Amino acid sequence: MNLVELLVITGNYYTSIIFIAAIILFLLKDKESALFAFVTFVFFFIGITYYPFLIEWDSNKLYRYPIWILHDTLWMGLIAYLGLKDKIHWRQSVLGQLFCIPLLAVNFFRALDMQFIQMYISTTAYRIVYPLCEVAIVLLCWLPIFVYLKNKLFTKPQPA
């Protein structure tokens, strides 16, 4: 199994895990967090849907990185807009954008490295930063569930 196959498989798992988080948050009636998870799920789903076609179509590795930069920028813009309109929690919006900035930087650096420098020095950063940021975004979708469980399980009832 090579790196590309591993990233596709983990992308599928991330998408499923985010979808489960969105359903749980919807059932918990946390509309803002559920919307954040749902928007993230949609973007992850779109990403894993077009990924095989993009890899096949872009055999010269010229367009895939700008397309991924555009994809991540659209997600960042949408969650920023929803955060400003108080449709999602502003903390999730800001943290999601902060976790996405390294993805944009790595994709930009990777595009430069593959097309102009051709030394492939971006491979290590790409293999480390990309999965870490994606895991952080997945955890950001689950964070409200963990907070809810902490509040339910570890708060002591106050005597009257």
Side-chain angles (χ1 to χ4, degrees), residues 44-81:
F44 268 70
F45 183 76
I46 290 170
I48 65 168
T49 302
Y50 74 73
Y51 180 83
F53 303 109
L54 180 63
I55 296 301
E56 182 180 327
W57 171 73
D58 187 28
S59 59
N60 294 332
K61 299 181 181 181
L62 180 63
Y63 299 109
R64 65 181 67 173
Y65 301 108
I67 289 172
W68 290 333
I69 290 170
L70 177 65
H71 180 89
D72 292 340
T73 304
L74 289 173
W75 179 76
M76 286 177 63
L78 183 58
I79 65 168
Y81 174 78

Side-chain angles (χ1 to χ4, degrees), residues 5 18 70-71 78 91 105 112 117 124 138 141 149 156:
E5 291 172 353
I18 293 171
L70 177 65
H71 180 89
L78 183 58
R91 288 183 183 111
L112 289 176
I117 304 170
T124 304
V138 171
C141 293
L149 290 173
K156 297 178 184 173

Side-chain angles (χ1 to χ4, degrees), residues 6-122:
L6 182 64
L7 289 175
V8 171
I9 290 169
T10 57
N12 288 335
Y13 287 128
Y14 293 159
T15 305
S16 303
I17 291 169
I18 293 171
F19 183 70
I20 292 168
I23 297 295
I24 292 171
L25 289 165
F26 179 76
L27 294 174
L28 292 175
K29 296 179 176 57
D30 186 352
K31 294 176 187 174
E32 292 87 1
S33 297
L35 181 60
F36 177 82
F38 183 72
V39 167
T40 305
F41 160 75
V42 168
F43 273 84
F44 268 70
F45 183 76
I46 290 170
I48 65 168
T49 302
Y50 74 73
Y51 180 83
F53 303 109
L54 180 63
I55 296 301
E56 182 180 327
W57 171 73
D58 187 28
S59 59
N60 294 332
K61 299 181 181 181
L62 180 63
Y63 299 109
R64 65 181 67 173
Y65 301 108
I67 289 172
W68 290 333
I69 290 170
L70 177 65
H71 180 89
D72 292 340
T73 304
L74 289 173
W75 179 76
M76 286 177 63
L78 183 58
I79 65 168
Y81 174 78
L82 293 172
L84 289 172
K85 293 294 182 182
D86 291 330
K87 302 292 183 190
I88 63 174
H89 296 296
W90 66 271
R91 288 183 183 111
Q92 278 184 311
S93 174
V94 170
L95 286 173
Q97 293 173 60
L98 288 175
F99 292 148
C100 197
I101 289 172
L103 296 177
L104 296 173
V106 165
N107 275 326
F108 183 72
F109 180 55
R110 183 98 165 146
L112 289 176
D113 185 26
M114 298 297 245
Q115 294 306 314
F116 300 113
I117 304 170
Q118 296 179 347
M119 292 180 63
Y120 307 106
I121 55 178
S122 63

